[in-house]
Amino acid sequence: MYLLIREIKYFTNFNNKMYQFLLFFQPLMFLSIVYFLKQVRGDINSDKFVLASALISMWSYVLYSSGSALISQKWNDTLKLLIAAPASLFAVILTKALSNSVIALISMILSFIYARFIFQFNIGIANYGYFLLSILVLMFSLSVVGLILAIVFVASQNVFDFQNLILTPMILLCGVFIPVEQFPVVLKFIAYLIPMTWGIKSVQDTLVLSQTMFSSMGISIVVSMIYLFLAYFIVKKIEVVLRKTGSLGAI
């Protein structure tokens, strides 16, 4: 809880302009596009695009914050302290990934507030209890994806380049705009291997009370747990290598 409060203070600090943009202003920008699109065409499904705006903002924040969680310790010269600390490296990274997902929820809440009170969009949530449950499932899948990204980006010196590279493809691949069921077989197979795909699907299913909403939540949790166990063993391996050699990849 202390780390979560500390992370919220840090990432919402007015000195962190990039994270301010992702959390507070990016949803406003996307919703402005939706508003003018609706003014021109008039027949768009605003519920779908308001949700898409919130999901993009959450994903953007998790990608940049959790994705660089491990390498940023090197930049801040605190990695040695983490390795020497009694807490495991996995616990530290997982805690940061979970706290970042909680903070990312701010952008979703703001998206709904902007949509309702600034742009006058009606958000058709049929059942708030199920919707909240699906949001928790989505946050868990985002945390696991953030954890995986933190490990993958260890090998890269140019973390922000790779983050920029995968930002939009992941949005498209995880079915934010186009249902994964309509993808070609190869892309469909890849998309279903990503925990976030199932988390997003569970939120979309819950919004319309689809009969598959509970199965989507269940699959999202199972897939996320598989990646979580995999990440645990990889981080343990990284921790051993760092203790022995003092370096690994870009850190």
Side-chain angles (χ1 to χ4, degrees), residues 81-241:
L81 297 176
L82 280 181
I83 298 300
S88 71
L89 187 60
F90 177 78
V92 173
I93 302 175
L94 178 60
T95 305
K96 288 179 74 67
L98 288 170
S99 63
N100 287 336
S101 295
V102 174
I103 297 171
L105 186 60
I106 294 174
S107 63
M108 171 171 272
I109 295 171
L110 283 176
S111 294
F112 290 160
I113 292 175
Y114 293 158
R116 183 67 186 90
F117 296 103
I118 296 180
F119 299 99
Q120 304 297 313
F121 290 138
N122 290 318
I123 306 167
I125 300 175
N127 186 304
Y128 283 90
Y130 292 153
F131 186 73
L132 179 60
L133 187 61
S134 67
I135 293 298
L136 294 176
V137 172
L138 173 65
M139 289 169 61
F140 179 54
S141 67
L142 281 172
S143 300
V144 173
V145 170
L147 180 63
I148 296 293
L149 291 176
I151 297 170
V152 171
F153 288 148
V154 162
S156 173
Q157 289 282 0
N158 304 314
V159 175
F160 287 120
D161 290 346
F162 285 101
Q163 287 172 329
N164 293 334
L165 185 66
I166 69 171
L167 175 63
T168 303
M170 283 288 285
I171 291 169
L172 298 175
L173 192 59
C174 291
V176 172
F177 291 108
I178 302 172
V180 176
E181 292 81 0
Q182 298 179 15
F183 288 177
V185 176
V186 175
L187 289 181
K188 192 187 298 184
F189 176 76
I190 297 172
Y192 281 146
L193 291 177
I194 304 172
M196 198 171 70
T197 299
W198 293 102
I200 289 173
K201 188 175 187 309
S202 66
V203 174
Q204 292 171 335
D205 285 350
T206 306
L207 201 63
V208 295
L209 293 182
S210 168
Q211 293 181 346
T212 61
M213 62 181 180
F214 291 115
S215 60
S216 298
M217 290 184 212
I219 296 172
S220 178
I221 293 172
V222 171
V223 174
S224 298
M225 288 299 294
I226 292 172
Y227 279 94
L228 185 63
F229 283 119
L230 183 64
Y232 173 79
F233 290 109
I234 294 175
V235 172
K236 284 295 181 185
K237 181 67 176 177
I238 290 174
E239 198 171 20
V240 170
V241 173

Side-chain angles (χ1 to χ4, degrees), residues 34-107:
V34 176
Y35 174 79
F36 288 114
L37 187 63
K38 190 175 178 65
Q39 294 298 311
V40 173
R41 293 188 50 179
D43 59 344
I44 67 168
N45 183 350
S46 58
D47 291 354
K48 175 184 175 182
F49 287 103
V50 168
L51 180 61
S53 170
L55 293 173
I56 293 171
S57 298
M58 292 180 76
W59 159 240
S60 303
Y61 177 79
V62 168
L63 172 64
Y64 287 105
S65 59
S66 296
S68 54
L70 193 54
I71 196 71
S72 64
Q73 301 300 323
K74 168 70 175 179
W75 297 338
N76 296 329
D77 201 24
T78 55
L79 183 61
K80 294 177 182 176
L81 297 176
L82 280 181
I83 298 300
S88 71
L89 187 60
F90 177 78
V92 173
I93 302 175
L94 178 60
T95 305
K96 288 179 74 67
L98 288 170
S99 63
N100 287 336
S101 295
V102 174
I103 297 171
L105 186 60
I106 294 174
S107 63

